[in-house]
Amino acid sequence: MKVLFVNPPQTASKYKFMGVIAPPLGIAYMAGVLQENNIDVEILDASAEDMDFKDVEKELLKIKPDLVALTALTPTIGRALETAQVVKETLPDSIVVMGGYHPTFNFIETLEDENVDIVIRGEGEYIMLNLVQALENQSSLHDVKGIVFEDKNSKEIVVNPEAPLIQDLDELPFPALNLLPMKKYRLLDMDTHMTTMITTRGCPMQCSFCSSAAMHGKKIRERSVENIVDEIEYLKTNYDIDTIAFMDDTFTLKKRKVMAICDEILKRNIEIMWGCTSRVDTLDEKLLKKMKEAGCITIFIGVESADQQQLDNMCKNTTIAKIENAFKIAHKLKIRTIASVALGMPGDTKEIMNKTVKFVHKLKPNYAIYSLATPYPGTRFYKEAFEKNLIKIKDWSKYTLITPILETIDCSLNDMRKIQAKAFMKFYLRPHYIIRQFLQDGPYLLKTIFGVIKTALSKTPKNTDYNKRELKNI
């Protein structure tokens, strides 16, 4: 059986407007497991390759896969389903499988599409392997945990039991980057050879807007220090990678582990630049000094709000003082910071949001992302917003963090879009900011500013045909 993973064509992605194009790590991991088991597999990253559906059709005719596996987040589910239609029209006898965050939590809705044969729920590496082997052996799909499908005889939807989470992450092969267009991936539009890595799965934190715990569990599972640094060496040797973005929910969650990773990088004399996600309550000067010594150049920090009550409502388990201190230390050590905030969470007002925008200026991050509160399926935020009838937009393609989905106490959807655009403009068009940041990042900064301003001034896209049905409480 020949398997083709497809990252669907996308007009926009979460941070593409800031010059960030990252490899699809999830399907690369699944492809790696299939490769390890001698299954013929390829990956088509149509998003990174800037392909349209005609291009996808040509690749399908060239590769002629028996099974096409598509990945989808909430804002890209429409494009994924359009791709599924292209697959079925081009190769009618092929099997179409859909996985990712959105299909995991909306599996019935996803399977209702006539072009989708099977949905994978949860971590897909071994589910996909078991599925392919079952299809090759013509054995019963009822025995494959973690999938949803329509029984051909009864025409009923079968929801198999969930597959267990992968406990030993070291047993997974490294992602199959040999199947990806590695030269296409960028970080802030910089001319660098970059990729992403993940060192843990699961998250014990309870942030209301994050679906990670629902997908990967509340208990954190870790790769060993040796396995992590082995991959860094592998990336440098085989792909000439000089920059890595660690995509863990909170890379710095366990300080001792981070210190050990840094020590091992230094012990092996690996010259690598890297960035990571973090929480302010996990940072201190000792840790940041060690991280910088080992190559850390950027930290992505979720600030979310300048209002303590709002932080408590989001279950951030932090304080304004801790946020200020973390940025102060990073600034002192000259580590680049990216501050991310969520505008328009339930309880937000114009006054609170303006306070948050000013607070971000005070923190002096190198970059800022002003996201609009977006309730993704699988999160407590979605459940509460649904139950309180706060969701005003039912088209999944709008769930991009740029289009307003909720109204607040004193802000309409149109008001929310204006507040976000103003926040971006006020941050990135400050003369002293441009001069300061240009001295550090040079012309790449101008590309980033252009992308941000273009997005800030863009009009809200017109309605798409997908998902004008009623939302469900998932």
Side-chain angles (χ1 to χ4, degrees), residues 184-200:
K184 296 287 185 178
Y185 303 116
R186 318 283 289 177
L187 185 65
L188 298 177
D189 269 327
M190 294 181 182
D191 186 17
T192 180
H193 295 166
M194 72 82 65
T195 191
T196 52
M197 277 182 62
I198 192 160
T199 69
T200 61

Side-chain angles (χ1 to χ4, degrees), residues 85-133:
Q85 181 179 346
V86 172
V87 174
K88 285 297 189 181
E89 290 174 350
T90 308
L91 302 170
D93 295 330
S94 63
I95 298 169
V96 173
V97 178
M98 191 84 71
Y101 273 87
H102 190 87
T104 289
F105 301 116
N106 290 50
F107 53 89
I108 297 296
E109 176 187 296
T110 303
L111 194 65
E112 285 174 349
D113 189 280
E114 62 182 357
N115 298 301
V116 178
D117 299 305
I118 300 169
V119 172
I120 285 179
R121 300 164 60 204
E123 296 181 348
E125 287 89 352
Y126 293 125
I127 300 174
M128 178 60 74
L129 175 62
N130 293 336
L131 172 61
V132 171
Q133 291 176 336

Side-chain angles (χ1 to χ4, degrees), residues 36 101 108 120 128 139 214 232 270 275 279 290 322 340 342 363 373 389 391 402 429 442 457:
E36 190 177 56
Y101 273 87
I108 297 296
I120 285 179
M128 178 60 74
S139 54
I232 294 173
I270 302 173
R279 288 173 55 97
K290 177 66 72 173
K322 287 181 179 179
S340 176
L363 295 174
N389 198 30
I391 302 174
I402 299 298
L429 295 185
L457 295 178

Side-chain angles (χ1 to χ4, degrees), residues 360-409:
V360 171
H361 290 200
K362 179 183 175 184
L363 295 174
K364 295 182 180 179
N366 298 87
Y367 295 91
I369 298 174
Y370 298 95
S371 301
L372 293 179
T374 304
Y376 288 117
T379 65
R380 187 165 68 256
F381 180 21
Y382 178 92
K383 181 177 177 63
E384 292 173 356
F386 177 89
E387 291 174 349
K388 295 178 182 178
N389 198 30
L390 300 177
I391 302 174
K392 303 302 178 185
I393 302 297
K394 301 176 181 179
D395 179 350
W396 294 129
S397 68
K398 304 289 180 60
Y399 284 52
T400 60
L401 306 178
I402 299 298
T403 301
I405 304 300
L406 312 176
E407 294 178 341
T408 66
I409 297 170

Side-chain angles (χ1 to χ4, degrees), residues 218-283:
K218 295 179 181 179
K219 182 181 178 181
I220 190 168
R221 291 162 287 141
E222 307 172 58
R223 295 169 60 185
S224 67
V225 171
E226 292 72 21
N227 183 259
I228 293 165
V229 183
D230 283 349
E231 183 177 358
I232 294 173
E233 282 194 316
Y234 170 80
L235 293 170
K236 280 191 67 70
T237 302
N238 293 275
Y239 298 99
D240 195 28
I241 294 297
D242 54 36
T243 306
I244 294 172
F246 290 103
M247 303 302 291
D248 303 59
D249 294 300
T250 307
F251 179 75
T252 57
L253 190 61
K254 294 191 175 182
K255 294 180 183 179
R256 289 185 181 179
K257 182 66 173 287
V258 177
M259 294 286 275
I261 293 171
C262 292
D263 284 336
E264 189 66 18
I265 291 172
L266 293 167
K267 177 183 175 182
R268 301 191 196 185
N269 296 313
I270 302 173
E271 293 185 9
I272 192 77
M273 295 182 292
W274 53 275
C276 65
T277 55
S278 186
R279 288 173 55 97
V280 298
D281 56 345
T282 66
L283 297 175

